[in-house]
Amino acid sequence: MKAQFIRDKQVAASMMHPLRMSILENLREPNSAAGLSRILDMPRQQLNYHLRELEKNELIELVEERRKGNCTERIMRASAKSYLVVLNTAQVDPEEVQDKYSSHYLVSAASRLIQEVAELQTGAHKAKKKLATFSLQTEVRFTDPEKLHAFTEELSRTIAKLAARYHTDDPHARPYQFHVFSHPTLKKQQHEKRSNH
């Protein structure tokens, strides 16, 4: 199972109910309503309502059905390993942010990036095709701001040269966007605190 982008407000609202978050957590492994009822210590009838809502919004999926006497037991599981809610209600345009070195610009640009990749991923999933992407992450230590500035300037020139070398004006060629983001690395204590939440 992969991460799933949640782009619909109704689906996000359905998912954010505390009990439903707990259900999704417990459905990382397939289970039935009866099994979940015992784990969560709640009436099965009440649980079934929330399961129907989660299934309607494609947050859980049917794995199999098992016959138990006169009843049919439905085995469900979460439809993704993790969920990322992507709602840009303000429609923030990074081009409207004047200072491209500000954290506000980075957040705006990253938000747009996630929105576009989420839309592309949805389209690729429906077409049963693989979405070609590329990610590169690294960490560089700088002794002072001047070194950081020199690095970003050289990086910009290098990327501009590569873009000029490989870019084509062929209208049938598939365009790709490349984004370069930089921010201070979280300290170990901050990272551990974030991971525990």
Side-chain angles (χ1 to χ4, degrees):
M1 291 190 294
K2 299 180 180 179
Q4 179 176 332
F5 289 108
I6 306 298
R7 301 174 57 241
D8 185 277
K9 295 176 187 177
Q10 181 180 335
V11 176
S14 172
M15 174 184 162
M16 289 304 177
H17 188 288
L19 175 57
R20 292 175 189 169
M21 295 288 286
S22 182
I23 292 172
L24 289 172
E25 180 73 21
N26 283 282
L27 281 181
R28 289 184 176 180
E29 297 295 330
N31 206 341
S32 65
L36 282 172
S37 179
R38 289 190 293 270
I39 293 172
L40 299 173
D41 191 25
M42 64 179 297
R44 184 171 171 176
Q45 185 177 2
Q46 181 184 353
L47 181 62
N48 276 331
Y49 166 76
H50 293 287
L51 288 171
R52 284 194 297 271
E53 288 298 304
L54 289 169
E55 187 175 11
K56 181 178 73 176
N57 289 293
E58 299 181 350
L59 295 168
I60 62 174
E61 59 191 10
L62 178 67
V63 177
E64 63 174 312
E65 291 184 331
R66 298 174 183 167
R67 291 290 298 176
K68 274 198 157 186
N70 295 327
C71 301
T72 300
E73 187 176 52
R74 303 179 80 238
I75 308 300
M76 310 294 295
R77 71 177 171 199
S79 59
K81 184 177 181 180
S82 60
Y83 302 89
L84 178 62
V85 178
V86 185
L87 297 176
N88 186 15
T89 55
Q91 295 297 313
V92 178
D93 185 353
E95 297 305 319
E96 295 177 0
V97 182
Q98 299 298 317
D99 184 4
K100 293 191 176 183
Y101 291 94
S102 70
S103 59
H104 184 59
Y105 180 87
L106 187 151
V107 170
S108 299
S111 175
R112 174 188 277 183
L113 168 65
I114 293 171
Q115 284 277 337
E116 292 180 355
V117 172
E119 188 171 344
L120 287 165
Q121 187 189 63
T122 301
H125 179 72
K126 289 180 179 178
K128 295 183 179 180
K129 293 183 178 180
K130 185 177 179 180
L131 179 63
T133 63
F134 169 78
S135 300
L136 174 66
Q137 290 182 298
T138 189
E139 182 178 86
V140 183
R141 293 175 180 266
F142 301 99
T143 54
D144 54 63
E146 286 72 23
K147 292 286 196 309
L148 170 60
H149 180 72
F151 178 86
T152 56
E153 288 294 316
E154 186 172 347
L155 181 62
S156 297
R157 290 194 298 270
T158 301
I159 291 175
K161 288 179 181 178
L162 285 171
R165 182 189 304 171
Y166 289 98
H167 175 74
T168 175
D169 292 326
D170 181 353
H172 301 293
R174 179 71 186 265
Y176 276 78
Q177 291 188 37
F178 288 82
H179 304 259
V180 179
F181 297 117
S182 171
H183 60 79
T185 302
L186 279 173
K187 293 181 180 178
K188 185 178 179 181
Q189 297 88 337
Q190 292 174 306
H191 180 72
E192 290 175 349
K193 183 178 179 182
R194 184 182 63 173
S195 299
N196 291 330
H197 283 281

